[in-house]
Structures are given as structure tokens and as C-alpha cells.
């Protein structure tokens, strides 16, 4: 069986770059994910992927927090953990730390120049690598 520990981070970065280009490249070609899509398989809270933002609570937030932690653990961003939030507590509460991690992910992994901190279809797609 092949060892995916080396190839998986590279695959994620390539997919995040592709999704980022689709999301912000031309403005007219935007891939959207269905409300229920497959997760990365690393976090098993839910497959529901609604739009979530500051103030959102529940299992979809837990899924996003877990996905963000895994994304950074596999090297999506060298800045994660050096800021004030040092990783997310998976508590189901989309607060300031989750927003900061989301914006960081959108900048460093999706190539966004104006991150909104909202986890919608494009961010879910990038998180699902």
C-alpha cells in the first residue's frame, strides 16, 4: 500500500490552488459545491456544508474547524499557529478565532486577495481537498 503522508499535502496544495483560481481568477467561472458534499474523510462530524460565518453554531462548524486544523497540519500555511489563535478548538462555535483561521486559509491556500472569513461553497471545496 502506498504511503500518502508525502503526496497528500502536495495534492491538497494543488487542489487548493485550482479552486482558488476558479474562485477568484476570472470572476465568471466559479465552481460551487452542493449543500451536501463529501468531506475530506479526516473529520467525520457531518457531510452537510451550509454557508457558515461568525455567530454560526453546530455540527457544520465543528466539521469546518476540524478541516481547518487538518489543512494547516498538512502544511497549507506556514503562518498557522504563529498568530494569536494557535489552532482551533473544535467546539462548534464560529467565533473570532475560526474567522481568523478561515481568512488565513482563504489567503494562503486559496489565493484570495480579499478574504471574507465566510465558509461557503468555494471554501468548503478547498477544505475538502
Amino acid at each position: 500500500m502506498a504511503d500518502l503522508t508525502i503526496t497528500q499535502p502536495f495534492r491538497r496544495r494543488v487542489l487548493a490552488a485550482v479552486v482558488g483560481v476558479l474562485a477568484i481568477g476570472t470572476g465568471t467561472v466559479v465552481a460551487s459545491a452542493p449543500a451536501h458534499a463529501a468531506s475530506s474523510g479526516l473529520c467525520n462530524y457531518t457531510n452537510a456544508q451550509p454557508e457558515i460565518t461568525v455567530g454560526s453554531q453546530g455540527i457544520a462548524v465543528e466539521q469546518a474547524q476540524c478541516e481547518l486544523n487538518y489543512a494547516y497540519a498538512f502544511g497549507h500555511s506556514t503562518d498557522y499557529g504563529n498568530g494569536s489563535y494557535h489552532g482551533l478548538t473544535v467546539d462548534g462555535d464560529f467565533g473570532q478565532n475560526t474567522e481568523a483561521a478561515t481568512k488565513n486559509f482563504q489567503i494562503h491556500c486559496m489565493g484570495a486577495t480579499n478574504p471574507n472569513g465566510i465558509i461557503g461553497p468555494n471554501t468548503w471545496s478547498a477544505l475538502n481537498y
Side-chain angles (χ1 to χ4, degrees), residues 27-63:
T28 58
V29 180
V30 177
S32 65
H36 296 278
S39 66
S40 69
L42 297 171
C43 303
N44 295 311
Y45 292 93
T46 183
N47 284 337
Q49 298 180 342
E51 182 174 288
I52 54 177
T53 187
V54 173
S56 297
Q57 295 182 334
I59 199 163
V61 176
E62 290 178 17
Q63 180 71 27

Side-chain angles (χ1 to χ4, degrees), residues 1-93:
M1 185 155 104
D3 182 8
L4 298 178
T5 57
I6 295 173
T7 59
Q8 193 169 16
F10 176 74
R11 191 180 80 213
R12 286 188 193 165
R13 281 188 228 120
V14 170
L15 184 57
V18 169
V19 170
V21 169
L22 288 174
I24 65 172
T26 63
T28 58
V29 180
V30 177
S32 65
H36 296 278
S39 66
S40 69
L42 297 171
C43 303
N44 295 311
Y45 292 93
T46 183
N47 284 337
Q49 298 180 342
E51 182 174 288
I52 54 177
T53 187
V54 173
S56 297
Q57 295 182 334
I59 199 163
V61 176
E62 290 178 17
Q63 180 71 27
Q65 290 169 329
C66 181
E67 297 282 351
L68 283 164
N69 283 337
Y70 270 107
Y72 291 119
F74 281 104
H76 273 301
S77 171
T78 57
D79 294 332
Y80 184 73
N82 296 329
S84 60
Y85 45 89
H86 301 291
L88 295 171
T89 301
V90 179
D91 59 5
D93 183 19

Side-chain angles (χ1 to χ4, degrees), residues 6 35 37 41 75 108 117 121 125:
I6 295 173
H108 296 286
S125 292

Side-chain angles (χ1 to χ4, degrees), residues 19 68 102 105-106 110 116 118-128:
V19 170
L68 283 164
T102 300
F105 179 84
Q106 289 170 335
M110 297 175 65
N116 60 11
I118 297 170
I119 299 179
N122 294 325
T123 304
W124 278 117
S125 292
L127 284 171
N128 293 335

